[in-house]
Amino acid sequence: MHRCSFMASPGQFFLFLLLNFLISDSVSRSPILPKAAIIPVSKDLSTLQYVSEVFMGENLAPVKLVVDLNGPFVWSDCEFKKPIKGCSLKCSMVKSIRGCSSGVDYDSKTCTLEVENTISRVSTYGEMNEGRMGMEFWDEMGLGSLAINEQFLVSCAPNLLLEGLATGAKGMLGLGNSRISLPSQFSTTFGFFERKFSLCLSPSKGAIFLGGNPYETQISSSMMYTPLISKKDGLQEGYYMDVSSIKICGKKLSLHQEGFVGTKISTTVPYTTMETNIYGTFVEAYVKDATSMNLTLVPPMAPFGVCFSSKGVENQRGGPNVPIIDLVLQSEMVKWRIHGRNSMVHVSDEVMCLGILDGGLSPKDSIVLGGYQMEDNVLEFNLGNSMLGFSSSLLLGQKRCSDFESRVVL
């Protein structure tokens, strides 16, 4: 088991590269550069939330944070002891609720901003602090090492904001497109990585890859890419993709809606939701194709609106043999394909339900792609060129997001 730790200072970082060079020189005459930083993610089955584990604080204690793909920053019920001044350069990177103006308390003002629990939709104020954040690096040889950012910015929020989070979670891990989200701070601190991150969710254990991912060479040929669109959603700058049409078993649905449908990508929504009119058209077509494949409708089980008997349904690599769903993006050649594993939820030994829900008549977003539909797919968010890359289901190649295992031992 390989373990090394280095801080994010230029001198120590140089020593880290030099050490890797000396180790690898005898083998390949080229340095072993870190391939990615990797954060393990597990699924909490009681809340269906995806929970990451990072190392935070003076002693680098493991801290569980619920993954919020669109979150603008990391917030926690933290013990950081170094508040950021309200008129500092670091505070200028965030939308502080206190303006920077001279006065009696000019020097004592702290950097305060609004913090939201995007699951309970409760928000309050928190102070921006800085402290130690540790994460695992992964190199070309598959060896783990611990890298430490001594000046990581995190918002400290009161306990009341933890309500609704998975048991043991101390806050939320924001991966959004802001200057102080985890990917942005990571890219700024460790400049040799591209400004991108990948997400590989799992029904058990998955991971977030910052800068790259171990699957790149294996799935690069099958990845598709679509423009990554940022839109304002409350306190967040959300990640969206434009869906031009929806197909079931290759047949295009008539959605009575011109142009693209802005589709939000979310890790805090368990299952994909569709605006009521879109959902109605979708379900009608899906049930028609499902019954033509001899699937038997059974009474629905909340929160699902459509359920089938799973008796006699063939299981394939991509899950149960049910109608295939395609979200067609900027062209007919670029589509997000949803196989049975990501469309059907087994609610009992004999019943499976369509994991796509009615989102209501006037939702903020017409379609929200939920966590279940992303599981065992690799999503690459390239913030440098505003592109989203996505793989087909890893199960088709007999792989899973749970194949990843952490290598660092503290």
Side-chain angles (χ1 to χ4, degrees):
M1 185 74 67
H2 174 73
R3 175 183 182 265
C4 75
S5 173
F6 69 95
M7 314 301 179
S9 66
Q12 289 169 314
F13 179 59
F14 174 78
L15 289 175
F16 171 78
L17 292 181
L18 178 61
L19 177 61
N20 266 329
F21 179 84
L22 293 174
I23 293 173
S24 61
D25 186 60
S26 62
V27 179
S28 62
R29 296 291 175 182
S30 61
I32 303 172
L33 292 176
K35 187 177 179 67
I38 303 183
I39 298 173
V41 176
S42 60
K43 187 173 184 177
D44 181 78
L45 297 182
S46 61
T47 61
L48 304 182
Q49 295 168 18
Y50 300 96
V51 182
S52 64
E53 185 172 88
V54 296
F55 307 112
M56 295 174 65
E58 190 61 32
N59 298 321
L60 291 178
V63 176
K64 293 183 178 181
L65 301 172
V66 173
V67 177
D68 184 359
L69 176 64
N70 299 289
F73 46 80
V74 176
W75 68 262
S76 75
D77 171 26
C78 58
E79 297 180 359
F80 283 39
K81 301 297 184 183
K82 191 177 180 182
I84 300 299
K85 296 295 183 182
C87 286
S88 66
L89 179 61
K90 290 179 179 179
C91 190
S92 69
M93 295 191 298
V94 307
K95 295 180 180 179
S96 175
I97 63 171
R98 292 177 178 172
C100 184
S101 59
S102 60
V104 177
D105 297 326
Y106 171 84
D107 231 14
S108 62
K109 287 183 179 179
T110 56
C111 188
T112 304
L113 64 166
E114 193 170 358
V115 185
E116 182 183 18
N117 177 329
T118 50
I119 291 172
S120 66
R121 290 295 178 183
V122 173
S123 62
T124 185
Y125 299 121
E127 290 186 352
M128 184 61 67
N129 282 249
E130 66 179 7
R132 308 182 88 201
M133 163 78 86
M135 61 187 70
E136 178 181 354
F137 272 6
W138 192 273
D139 63 31
E140 294 288 352
M141 296 179 65
L143 301 176
S145 57
L146 187 67
I148 302 168
N149 182 346
E150 295 284 357
Q151 298 177 321
F152 188 83
L153 297 177
V154 60
S155 179
C156 295
N159 284 335
L160 66 90
L161 216 58
L162 300 179
E163 188 172 347
L165 299 185
T167 301
K170 297 296 183 181
M172 303 190 81
L173 191 80
L175 301 175
N177 192 10
S178 77
R179 295 180 69 185
I180 59 168
S181 68
L182 176 62
S184 294
Q185 290 198 60
F186 172 81
S187 177
T188 300
T189 303
F190 307 103
F192 56 89
F193 289 103
E194 291 185 66
R195 190 167 171 256
K196 68 179 181 180
F197 69 94
S198 299
L199 198 61
C200 202
L201 300 179
S202 166
S204 53
K205 295 181 179 180
I208 297 165
F209 309 99
L210 299 171
N213 71 72
Y215 296 109
E216 278 179 331
T217 55
Q218 301 171 35
I219 66 168
S220 58
S221 61
S222 64
M223 291 278 280
M224 292 190 179
Y225 295 88
T226 191
L228 189 60
I229 301 165
S230 291
K231 292 184 182 179
K232 188 70 175 175
D233 180 11
L235 301 177
Q236 300 185 338
E237 196 79 25
Y239 293 120
Y240 289 76
M241 61 182 181
D242 278 339
V243 172
S244 63
S245 64
I246 300 174
K247 291 183 177 181
I248 299 176
C249 292
K251 292 172 287 186
K252 184 177 178 179
L253 304 186
S254 177
L255 298 179
H256 307 292
Q257 192 163 338
E258 295 183 4
F260 292 99
V261 178
T263 299
K264 185 176 183 179
I265 309 166
S266 175
T267 54
T268 58
V269 174
Y271 304 105
T272 292
T273 62
M274 296 179 175
E275 183 270 333
T276 295
N277 292 322
I278 297 175
Y279 178 78
T281 302
F282 173 81
V283 163
E284 182 180 359
Y286 192 92
V287 169
K288 180 179 178 181
D289 280 314
T291 52
S292 72
M293 295 174 64
N294 295 323
L295 270 71
T296 303
L297 277 169
V298 296
M301 300 175 67
F304 307 105
V306 177
C307 297
F308 301 91
S309 171
S310 58
K311 288 183 178 179
V313 177
E314 179 190 4
N315 271 305
Q316 303 173 331
R317 282 187 182 179
N321 185 22
V322 297
I324 290 175
I325 303 165
D326 287 323
L327 302 180
V328 182
L329 305 175
Q330 71 267 28
S331 75
E332 291 290 325
M333 299 296 292
V334 183
K335 51 183 174 284
W336 183 305
R337 175 156 287 183
I338 302 174
H339 295 269
R341 156 63 184 88
N342 296 103
S343 64
M344 284 294 163
V345 182
H346 289 273
V347 296
S348 73
D349 291 340
E350 298 182 349
V351 176
M352 58 184 184
C353 298
L354 181 61
I356 296 175
L357 309 181
D358 187 342
L361 279 170
S362 301
K364 283 186 178 180
D365 302 295
S366 296
I367 302 175
V368 179
L369 189 75
Y372 191 80
Q373 278 65 48
M374 291 186 261
E375 289 179 359
D376 288 316
N377 288 255
V378 176
L379 278 67
E380 179 187 276
F381 295 81
N382 193 320
L383 307 185
N385 61 15
S386 297
M387 294 294 288
L388 170 68
F390 54 95
S391 70
S392 55
S393 173
L394 295 181
L395 301 180
L396 300 178
Q398 296 182 306
K399 298 183 184 300
R400 299 175 181 271
C401 287
S402 57
D403 292 341
F404 160 75
E405 290 185 8
S406 179
R407 304 293 179 93
V408 167
V409 178
L410 286 178

